[in-house]
Amino acid sequence: MNASTAATTNADAAARARAVIPGGVNSPVRAFGSVGGTPLSIVAARGARVTDVTGRDYVDLVASWGPALLGHAHPEVVAAVQEAASRGLSFGASTPGETELAELVIDRLTVGGTAGIEKLRLVSTGTEATMTAIRVARGATGRDVIVKFAGHYHGHSDGLLAESGSGIATLGLPGSAGVPADIAALTLVLPYNDRDAVRAAFEAHPGRIAAIITEAAGANAGVLAPEPGFNDFLLQTAHAHGALLILDEVLTGFRVGAAGWWGLERAAGATWVPDLVTFGKVIGGGMPLAGIGGRAELLDLLAPLGPVYQAGTLSGNPLAVAAGIATLRLADTEVYARVDAAASVVSKALDEALTDAGVAHVISRAGSLFSVAFRNGPVRDYTDARDQEAWRYPAFFHAMLDAGVSLPPSVFEAWFLTAAHDDDALGRVLAALPAAARAAASASPA
Ligand code: PMP
């Protein structure tokens, strides 16, 4: 046994990690800070299941926070990565695979003859994708101010952490230390789904706003679906004031449907087309890969054609690209139908279990994404999301974990289903829910 597998309990693994890694984690929510207890140390994942360092397996509803649309370690994706690895890990030069992936993504984002994007630049993380999209928007408009929504998460770049979702929401932070005030001042944070606030921001800052960045459907403060027509309104309002709309599909892209959230809106009759779109997660099928897409005139502002600089040693990494191509090729309508159906089964059972246990709750859904909030009434914005009995979640979470179901370790995260969640896996989730709901019912505030 080598050093990395020597730990025999999750507690041992966590203690050893904490000695050399801040908080024992390389991304904060993994530390179980808001649910307490010992974080899992995972050694393997296959299909709908993950295996911890003790050899125990869990039905997984984290799915690597989204990428594992097909389930973990899909054999064809793993084979594609192995084949790519046999030809070399990184070249620092262009590859045919990058072009193939860009063609594939542009093709999928062409809905009813309308191109959602014309070009795509690949990077390694969603953070880089949104950071670069903002730089392109500023370069294109010659303006500095960015509008974002409270509770939306766009990665951890300086300007985007204000009132952000995901770990910032989980930890209850207003933003991050280490962000210069001058940079934070360039971000206007507005309440989500609030048209008046958007209009007022443009009126208050004439000629200064470069772009609105929005999650295509909010999913980082729990699920916050856009009200019908809200994304279209954002695009029209931005354009009326000479600004751009950046649609962040890092989480929703290729997960809620073949053409992401935008594709769902198009299918429902919308006609708007975003200026810039960011992708991550599913685009790399579990490998570090992300992208910025948009109209050619905007993407061609990037170096080497234009003055907006962006680069990356590992950008378009051949292993990541191979995983992305294999994943997108496999993600057909049947996959999306399976993921949608699995989400319906689990969200319905969750609703019933909490109702039976007498726990006030609301389930928010956006496509196959859903989350629970312990409150009465819908969740429209970040204020609503925080106005809940979040203290019920740790008991609920741990009851599920004890029963062998791994949920996101924060009430502010969406639950992720995959095409590998078969009847067996779903049965285990459904069997665990009633006791977890009762645990939530008998929880008390700290
Ligand atoms: N945008 C959205 C909508 C996200 O959900 C995330 C990550 N959860 C990011 C950007 C950042 O992506 P990454 O973690 O790959 O940097």
Side-chain angles (χ1 to χ4, degrees):
M1 183 175 276
N2 67 32
S4 63
T5 56
T8 52
T9 67
N10 288 299
D12 286 347
R16 193 168 155 193
R18 279 195 297 270
V20 289
I21 297 172
V25 293
N26 287 311
S27 198
V29 181
R30 295 178 196 171
F32 278 27
S34 74
V35 291
T38 307
L40 298 185
S41 182
I42 301 295
V43 295
R46 187 162 298 272
R49 289 178 165 73
V50 293
T51 309
D52 74 9
V53 74
T54 71
R56 182 171 185 204
D57 79 347
Y58 304 81
V59 173
D60 177 37
L61 298 180
V62 182
S64 183
W65 302 95
L69 175 74
L70 306 170
H72 293 287
H74 188 288
E76 288 178 50
V77 177
V78 172
V81 173
Q82 286 171 334
E83 194 283 324
S86 74
R87 287 184 285 111
L89 302 184
S90 175
F91 311 133
S94 297
T95 67
E98 296 169 319
T99 307
E100 187 183 339
L101 181 59
E103 289 168 352
L104 205 56
V105 169
I106 291 165
D107 190 49
R108 284 172 77 106
L109 268 280
T110 301
V111 178
T114 302
I117 64 168
E118 293 172 348
K119 288 198 174 178
L120 180 74
R121 168 67 56 93
L122 294 177
V123 293
S124 300
T125 67
T127 295
E128 282 177 88
T130 56
M131 191 179 80
T132 301
I134 282 170
R135 191 170 301 149
V136 169
R138 286 175 167 154
T141 58
R143 301 172 176 185
D144 291 340
V145 175
I146 298 295
V147 168
K148 81 174 280 284
F149 294 103
H152 281 198
Y153 182 69
H154 303 289
H156 65 280
S157 66
D158 280 349
L160 291 174
L161 281 177
E163 287 188 58
S164 169
S166 194
I168 292 277
T170 300
L171 299 172
L173 300 173
S176 171
V179 174
D182 286 353
I183 291 183
L186 296 177
T187 306
L188 299 177
V189 183
L190 304 183
Y192 191 43
N193 278 324
D194 186 337
R195 295 179 189 222
D196 288 343
V198 175
R199 286 189 202 99
F202 278 99
E203 274 157 32
H205 302 274
R208 293 197 62 215
I209 297 173
I212 302 173
I213 184 166
T214 186
E215 286 191 51
N220 278 291
V223 169
L224 293 174
E227 288 176 353
F230 187 67
N231 285 330
D232 191 358
F233 162 81
L234 293 180
L235 183 96
Q236 307 311 335
T237 308
H239 285 190
H241 294 87
L244 301 175
L245 179 71
I246 302 168
L247 192 69
D248 184 353
E249 294 245 28
V250 165
L251 194 149
T252 48
F254 315 116
R255 169 155 275 283
V256 297
W261 183 264
W262 177 74
L264 295 187
E265 289 206 13
R266 293 291 298 195
T271 54
W272 61 281
V273 179
D275 298 301
L276 293 163
V277 189
T278 52
F279 304 102
K281 299 189 188 261
V282 175
I283 198 178
M287 297 286 287
L289 192 72
I292 310 104
R295 282 199 302 285
E297 82 199 13
L298 291 172
L299 268 282
D300 287 347
L301 291 173
L302 286 168
L305 291 180
V308 178
Y309 196 71
Q310 180 278 327
T313 302
L314 295 175
S315 288
N317 173 267
L319 274 60
V321 164
I325 292 172
T327 299
L328 292 189
R329 290 216 179 285
L330 287 160
D332 57 14
T333 46
E334 198 199 316
V335 160
Y336 291 110
R338 277 217 299 279
V339 176
D340 281 347
S344 293
V345 166
V346 175
S347 62
K348 182 164 171 283
L350 171 62
D351 191 22
E352 285 168 4
L354 290 169
T355 301
D356 289 350
V359 178
H361 69 281
V362 59
I363 293 173
S364 306
R365 183 143 179 201
S368 60
L369 296 164
F370 68 90
S371 63
V372 62
F374 295 107
R375 60 178 265 125
N376 287 313
V379 181
R380 182 173 181 255
D381 60 21
Y382 194 37
T383 303
D384 293 343
R386 283 178 298 183
D387 180 17
Q388 63 163 303
E389 296 173 337
W391 44 265
R392 294 195 186 277
Y393 192 70
F396 179 83
F397 169 88
H398 280 290
M400 294 296 284
L401 197 64
D402 289 348
V405 178
S406 172
L407 297 178
S410 164
V411 76
F412 294 113
E413 304 284 356
W415 297 23
F416 294 97
L417 275 303
T418 79
H421 282 80
D422 55 13
D423 289 347
D424 187 47
L426 294 176
R428 199 148 140 193
V429 177
L430 266 48
L433 283 169
R438 287 193 296 275
S442 39
S444 46

